[in-house]
Amino acid sequence: MLYNRMTDAQRAMVEHNLLRAMAATIKRNNAGKSNWQTWHNAALAAVGYVVNDPSLVEHAITDPTSGFTYQLQTSVSDDGFWWENSIAYHFYTLQAMQWLLYVCSRQGRDLTIITAPREDGRGTKTIEDMYIFPIALATPLNSGWGYPALNDDHSEGISISGQKYLYLFANWQWGANGRTPSGKEYNRLAYAWVMSLSGGGVDNQQQLMWSSSSSTQPSYNTTSPSIISFTPTSVHLPAAGLTIMTGNNRTRDWALLKHGPHGGYHGHYDKLELLFAHDGVSILTDYGTVEYTQPLHYNYFKRTLSHNSLIVDGVTQQEASGANEFFETSMIHNMMVTSVNSTDLIPGVSGKRSIILLPNMDGSGRTFLIDLLEAINRNSSRSHDYYCVYHSSGTFQSVQGVNFQSNYSIPEKNVDPQWSYFQNPSLSTVPANYQDIVRYSWTVPRLTMQDGFENLAGWSPSYSNSFQLDDTNVKEGKNSVRWADHPSGSQFVKNNIQHDWSDASRVTFWIYNQFNNSAFITIVLYSENATSTGIDYFSYRITLNWLNWRYFNLTKSQFSAARSPVGWNKIDSITWSAAWSTTPNPTSSLNIDAFHVWRADGTLMPDVSTGGGLEVVADRNGPERSIIAAQAPNQPATSYHPVVVTKITGNDSIFAHLLVSPPLDDGVIIDFESNYSSPGVSSFTIDYGGNFTEISLLRDITDTSLSTVRGVRKVVYSSSDHARVMHVSGYSLPFLSPLSLDDRNVGLAPSSPIILISGEIFSFQHSFTSCSLDATVYMMPSSSSAVVLCRFDVSSSPSSSIFMANGTFDGEILPSSSITMTFSSPPAGGRSYVSLSYSLPSDDGIIHQVSLYIASSSSVSSSTPSSSASSSSTSSSSLTNTT
């Protein structure tokens, strides 16, 4: 528009004194591997096309030290994550790269077809990978699909639906009806899913870039309700160093382990960090960081103590990375397990973290998570102090076995400044092998309704300087919230509210307006309807045309309905926006206070607690521990949240905790014990309400001529009959592919057999009152044979044992015992079956019988029995032969 109104002299002046001068300055300041450089490239290409200088365009795309192709190769991981490992910087960079795609596409050049080789050698990557990665990471924190804070993210307030301008393009380019539909069905469904969240349509950026008359105008397609049901699944992202475990419905359980590259300037020292959410509520949280000019940024938020991680000797970790050792999410009972490691956290000490996720453990939606955090010291002559840190929210309380002494002075603050930011620390010391149960919990009052803005709990500001507590302009209590700099912080959101407003009659609040500028703000009450297209909500628009305080008393009928909101019985969130169909005014500055929702009878709608939160049960068999409870800074650092740090001193160290969400009801008995007596096996026993569950994690067990065994076992048995196994389940051996282990009872009668598919080894071990059973099945070269090695050890007579190989017994058989094994040859193409049963007397004199039923694949692979059973080994393919 301006170009046609300018004289030739004016055009020449703008070209040479502004555009080319700007391009020359950018080229002199090559930022290389940098998020800045992606914006430089977009600007260079735009200028190059405007002034008809192809060299500037080529520089932006192909420069070997800074261009688009360089960034794709060097700055984007194989998983599609921007190398600084921050979702905020990922989107910030992708915005710039998309501008470059726009500019070049308008000139007929398609950058989406450019590829770069993956570092792992497995094919190539494209810019599309940067669009897919955030979808894999998204989780419904606080009732909205968003992201945890990673590295220099400022909060959990970023949502995927807020990236509409990015995914409009992605859906147009690679969606089911796009210009070049993605070859991956997952990608096509993922784009449609994001469109269903953001409502489709064209936003301001698209309107600016694409003229309505252009033949290249994107055609944005709506999605069908069936597409909306798409949900991200469990995923291991090796290049990004993130492992996510979630159930079939990610809104129920979500856990993340962080073990990847540091992330450069924006990286945090937080390897082995654990994040955990249940029922859409963040339970173990990363609080991000604050503005980089604040001392808290470098002295606390970037350091290890602000994360749910491992600290050695009280000091911040050095830059580290790690890898995933084991990842299995397709186990029966919906069990999930993963194990990750790290390089040195301080010189000579590395770490490892394994978690076992047990969704719906008690049938009521309660989730158990076993957290095993290990310090590995390569210098056996030196002892260290090790710290396990848990950050949560809500109200902290000691439940059992810990007695906190207040006014504790943390000596570690003299070693590292990160400790000096804890408030009101208290200390409890737990002796080694403590006979009481150590339990503490955080109760999160998840659904709140009334808000006097005494703190910012639950609010997600998009820019913290725009949204701060203020004690100078107040209508109720001690604080109000001050909202300024609207262009930078255009909205703030609260999701953890009471969602059923059926009984609500009116909404009241006070607003103090500093400038009468007639700008607009809007209060938006989301009420998403999965069967409609677009965003569904109620809203009320306010014109800032007064000064000082004004009281608002709004009935429900004064709110306008947009599209098809479900209704007042489903209010998903409260949003205050300065950019709702308007441009934020930079002069606007106001305070909001005393937000209340009222019933028709004049009473306030009640806050509702869902019982959300977390209970931590410490390992009964642990060494002497010091437990520090304190308050840690939130982000923004105007309020605090509870944190618990457990300290163990020794050579190596293992922290074993059972995490339960929501916390257990009052009076419920629970106990948690660990056992590491067998090399490579970590066993945990949970006594919950009188029923025992044994979970065993198998790692790095290497048998002679066999692959490394890694897996997890779950055994449930009743306290009233502790010598009978009720369920054995859950092996997952990576070299068995695919592996299906069905649930089965092995009580008095076998049912639902164990399935062994083309495997080499299946084993389990379980301790009883008077005996233990260790059974191993080896598959032999012949298609119709298997070798079962079983060993029984009787506690009253440890030397008494039974070995069984190829259907024979080798060893002493107790007179009171009865052991049988049968084998059936399979029909052509069928399976072979091995049935083992035994009965032994328990301490109470009752004969207890256990049966194990094994069905092996008709197609088996060769293996050699372990050296521990060498006396019973065989090379024969027939079970009738003896050793």
Side-chain angles (χ1 to χ4, degrees):
M1 292 183 294
L2 290 177
Y3 184 86
N4 294 328
R5 298 182 180 183
M6 297 171 67
T7 65
D8 290 343
Q10 288 173 327
R11 293 170 184 164
M13 181 185 69
V14 170
E15 176 181 339
H16 294 285
N17 295 347
L18 177 62
L19 298 180
R20 286 190 179 275
M22 178 186 69
T25 300
I26 290 175
K27 290 179 68 176
R28 287 196 305 269
N29 293 273
N30 182 354
K33 187 178 180 180
S34 164
N35 55 68
W36 290 1
Q37 188 62 43
T38 59
W39 289 95
H40 294 174
N41 292 339
L44 286 174
V47 170
Y49 282 123
V50 169
V51 302
N52 195 24
D53 185 343
S55 68
L56 291 177
V57 178
E58 287 305 310
H59 187 94
I61 298 171
T62 63
D63 184 84
T65 62
S66 63
F68 174 84
T69 54
Y70 167 84
Q71 299 298 339
L72 184 61
Q73 171 64 48
T74 307
S75 305
V76 180
S77 76
D78 288 352
D79 298 319
F81 201 15
W82 182 251
W83 73 280
E84 290 167 307
N85 290 2
S86 155
I87 196 65
Y89 281 102
H90 180 91
F91 282 134
Y92 172 74
T93 300
L94 190 53
Q95 290 177 48
M97 298 177 88
Q98 181 164 290
W99 280 110
L100 181 60
L101 298 181
Y102 276 145
V103 169
C104 293
S105 181
R106 287 297 299 270
Q107 299 299 317
R109 188 166 183 176
D110 186 3
L111 302 188
T112 66
I113 64 174
I114 292 177
T115 64
R118 291 168 54 100
E119 291 186 11
D120 63 8
R122 300 172 57 187
T124 59
K125 54 188 173 182
T126 69
I127 189 65
E128 184 185 6
D129 295 325
M130 292 191 70
Y131 290 86
I132 284 297
F133 178 87
I135 298 175
L137 184 62
T139 187
L141 293 175
N142 301 321
S143 301
W145 283 93
Y147 300 95
L150 300 173
N151 283 355
D152 269 351
D153 290 336
H154 283 267
S155 71
E156 293 180 342
I158 299 174
S159 69
I160 194 168
S161 60
Q163 315 309 314
K164 174 180 177 180
Y165 54 92
L166 295 174
Y167 286 98
L168 281 168
F169 174 83
N171 194 46
W172 171 70
Q173 179 71 36
W174 299 294
N177 298 306
R179 293 199 307 171
T180 57
S182 174
K184 299 177 181 178
E185 183 183 14
Y186 176 94
N187 294 15
R188 299 193 300 271
L189 295 177
Y191 299 138
W193 174 69
V194 177
M195 287 297 93
S196 73
L197 295 178
S198 59
V202 180
D203 74 352
N204 293 335
Q205 288 195 20
Q206 272 75 22
Q207 291 175 348
L208 176 65
M209 286 301 300
W210 304 93
S211 65
S212 60
S213 61
S214 172
S215 61
T216 55
Q217 169 76 25
S219 175
Y220 299 109
N221 299 287
T222 59
T223 58
S224 64
S226 61
I227 297 297
I228 297 174
S229 64
F230 169 91
T231 302
T233 57
S234 298
V235 63
H236 168 49
L237 302 162
L242 300 173
T243 299
I244 299 170
M245 295 200 307
T246 182
N248 294 330
N249 182 357
R250 190 173 280 199
T251 61
R252 174 60 66 180
D253 296 297
W254 177 89
L256 179 146
L257 285 180
K258 185 177 179 184
H259 50 89
H262 181 70
Y265 174 83
H266 294 293
H268 286 199
Y269 303 89
D270 59 355
K271 289 302 161 285
L272 306 180
E273 179 171 40
L274 168 63
L275 303 179
F276 177 44
H278 177 71
D279 197 20
V281 178
S282 181
I283 302 298
L284 290 180
T285 305
D286 187 322
Y287 285 84
T289 192
V290 292
E291 283 65 44
Y292 305 149
T293 57
Q294 296 188 29
L296 269 169
H297 171 64
Y298 284 104
N299 292 335
Y300 177 72
F301 280 108
K302 285 180 75 75
R303 296 175 183 251
T304 313
L305 188 60
S306 70
H307 303 85
N308 306 301
S309 187
L310 175 64
I311 300 176
V312 184
D313 292 338
V315 300
T316 296
Q317 297 174 3
Q318 62 186 14
E319 287 191 16
S321 60
N324 186 288
E325 296 184 346
F326 182 68
F327 176 62
E328 178 57 57
T329 61
S330 301
M331 310 182 77
I332 59 177
H333 301 305
N334 296 317
M335 288 194 301
M336 291 169 271
V337 60
T338 191
S339 182
V340 303
N341 62 32
S342 77
T343 56
D344 280 4
L345 306 177
I346 69 168
V349 181
S350 59
K352 182 179 293 188
R353 192 165 209 158
S354 305
I355 60 174
I356 303 173
L357 190 64
L358 305 165
N360 196 21
M361 181 71 174
D362 59 358
S364 67
R366 182 170 279 112
T367 291
F368 285 23
L369 186 151
I370 297 174
D371 180 25
L372 186 65
L373 181 60
E374 303 172 69
I376 303 169
N377 180 11
R378 295 196 305 275
N379 184 357
S380 59
S381 64
R382 182 182 175 187
S383 178
H384 294 275
D385 294 330
Y386 302 102
Y387 306 78
C388 172
V389 186
Y390 287 142
H391 290 264
S392 193
S393 58
T395 303
F396 174 80
Q397 63 176 341
S398 169
V399 177
Q400 183 178 354
V402 280
N403 183 21
F404 287 98
Q405 304 297 318
S406 58
N407 301 318
Y408 174 64
S409 179
I410 302 177
E412 287 83 356
K413 64 185 178 183
N414 299 317
V415 177
D416 192 308
Q418 60 185 338
W419 295 90
S420 62
Y421 291 93
F422 276 7
Q423 301 291 314
N424 305 317
S426 57
L427 176 70
S428 179
T429 301
V430 179
N433 297 316
Y434 190 43
Q435 292 306 301
D436 200 355
I437 303 168
V438 175
R439 298 166 60 184
Y440 50 88
S441 69
W442 296 272
T443 302
V444 181
R446 178 170 175 260
L447 304 181
T448 58
M449 179 62 69
Q450 316 306 328
D451 207 324
F453 293 102
E454 296 306 291
N455 57 62
L456 300 180
W459 289 99
S460 297
S462 57
Y463 187 70
S464 58
N465 276 347
S466 304
F467 182 74
Q468 295 183 334
L469 292 178
D470 183 6
D471 59 3
T472 62
N473 243 334
V474 178
K475 270 294 180 182
E476 179 181 281
K478 297 181 179 179
N479 295 311
S480 65
V481 62
R482 181 175 178 271
W483 183 20
D485 191 11
H486 288 193
S488 296
S490 61
Q491 71 176 26
F492 53 100
V493 182
K494 188 172 187 179
N495 297 295
N496 58 323
I497 62 171
Q498 159 66 287
H499 297 301
D500 188 352
W501 291 31
S502 301
D503 292 340
S505 172
R506 55 194 175 94
V507 177
T508 64
F509 50 88
W510 286 88
I511 296 180
Y512 179 88
N513 188 31
Q514 188 172 351
F515 299 105
N516 181 352
N517 57 13
S518 295
F520 299 105
I521 63 171
T522 305
I523 178 172
V524 182
L525 306 176
Y526 281 88
S527 180
E528 286 288 0
N529 189 336
T531 64
S532 70
T533 300
I535 304 173
D536 310 289
Y537 58 89
F538 302 99
S539 67
Y540 183 83
R541 195 178 198 186
I542 299 170
T543 304
L544 302 179
N545 57 2
W546 77 93
L547 293 174
N548 299 320
W549 285 103
R550 173 174 287 185
Y551 180 67
F552 289 82
N553 185 349
L554 308 177
T555 64
K556 289 196 292 188
S557 62
Q558 291 178 266
F559 285 82
S560 301
R563 299 183 181 88
S564 303
V566 171
W568 291 94
N569 63 324
K570 182 182 178 294
I571 302 299
D572 303 318
S573 62
I574 302 171
T575 297
W576 292 89
S577 176
W580 206 261
S581 301
T582 188
T583 301
N585 192 312
T587 66
S588 295
S589 179
L590 47 94
N591 289 61
I592 305 174
D593 202 2
F595 183 94
H596 296 302
V597 183
W598 302 84
R599 292 185 174 122
D601 62 4
T603 60
L604 290 171
M605 287 279 291
D607 289 345
V608 176
S609 174
T610 63
L614 176 70
E615 181 162 328
V616 177
V617 185
D619 178 14
R620 181 190 283 270
N621 289 335
E624 181 177 327
R625 289 153 284 176
S626 298
I627 303 177
I628 302 170
Q631 296 289 311
N634 288 332
Q635 193 289 112
T638 52
S639 58
Y640 291 82
H641 66 268
V643 59
V644 171
V645 181
T646 302
K647 174 184 175 181
I648 296 175
T649 300
N651 193 295
D652 294 334
S653 183
I654 299 178
F655 297 90
H657 291 100
L658 175 64
L659 312 183
V660 183
S661 183
L664 298 171
D665 298 330
D666 292 342
V668 173
I669 298 173
I670 191 167
D671 197 359
F672 177 61
E673 295 187 51
S674 64
N675 188 301
Y676 314 104
S677 58
S678 300
V681 180
S682 303
S683 296
F684 311 95
T685 301
I686 304 169
D687 175 4
Y688 177 49
N691 287 318
F692 294 82
T693 298
E694 180 184 305
I695 306 292
S696 295
L697 179 65
L698 289 76
R699 294 179 316 183
D700 302 331
I701 306 172
T702 303
D703 218 339
T704 305
S705 302
L706 295 178
S707 301
T708 298
V709 179
R710 294 171 182 164
V712 66
R713 175 187 67 239
K714 178 181 179 182
V715 180
V716 182
Y717 55 104
S718 169
S719 60
S720 62
D721 190 2
H722 50 251
R724 180 179 299 164
V725 180
M726 301 303 292
H727 295 283
V728 181
S729 58
Y731 271 99
S732 177
L733 310 181
F735 51 84
L736 307 183
S737 179
L739 177 67
S740 174
L741 292 178
D742 295 339
D743 185 15
R744 83 294 311 198
N745 287 315
V746 289
L748 296 179
S751 63
S752 301
I754 301 169
I755 307 299
L756 202 65
I757 298 180
S758 300
E760 294 180 332
I761 179 172
F762 172 81
S763 65
F764 75 88
Q765 177 178 322
H766 182 69
S767 296
F768 302 92
T769 303
S770 60
C771 68
S772 67
L773 167 64
D774 189 345
T776 303
V777 179
Y778 292 100
M779 307 309 298
M780 301 306 293
S782 171
S783 63
S784 62
S785 65
V787 176
V788 180
L789 303 178
C790 296
R791 174 173 175 164
F792 300 83
D793 290 324
V794 180
S795 59
S796 60
S797 180
S799 61
S800 299
S801 61
I802 300 168
F803 292 92
M804 178 168 54
N806 293 344
T808 66
F809 300 99
D810 179 17
E812 180 182 359
I813 303 177
L814 298 179
S816 59
S817 301
S818 175
I819 302 176
T820 61
M821 185 184 79
T822 60
F823 175 78
S824 64
S825 299
R831 296 179 182 273
S832 57
Y833 296 92
V834 178
S835 176
L836 167 68
S837 65
Y838 74 94
S839 60
L840 287 173
S842 67
D843 289 344
D844 56 13
I846 300 174
I847 301 296
H848 296 281
Q849 182 175 348
V850 174
S851 295
L852 178 64
Y853 193 51
I854 302 171
S856 65
S857 169
S858 61
S859 174
V860 297
S861 57
S862 174
S863 72
T864 304
S866 67
S867 58
S868 64
S870 59
S871 62
S872 302
S873 64
T874 179
S875 60
S876 171
S877 63
S878 172
L879 283 176
T880 60
N881 293 339
T882 60
T883 304

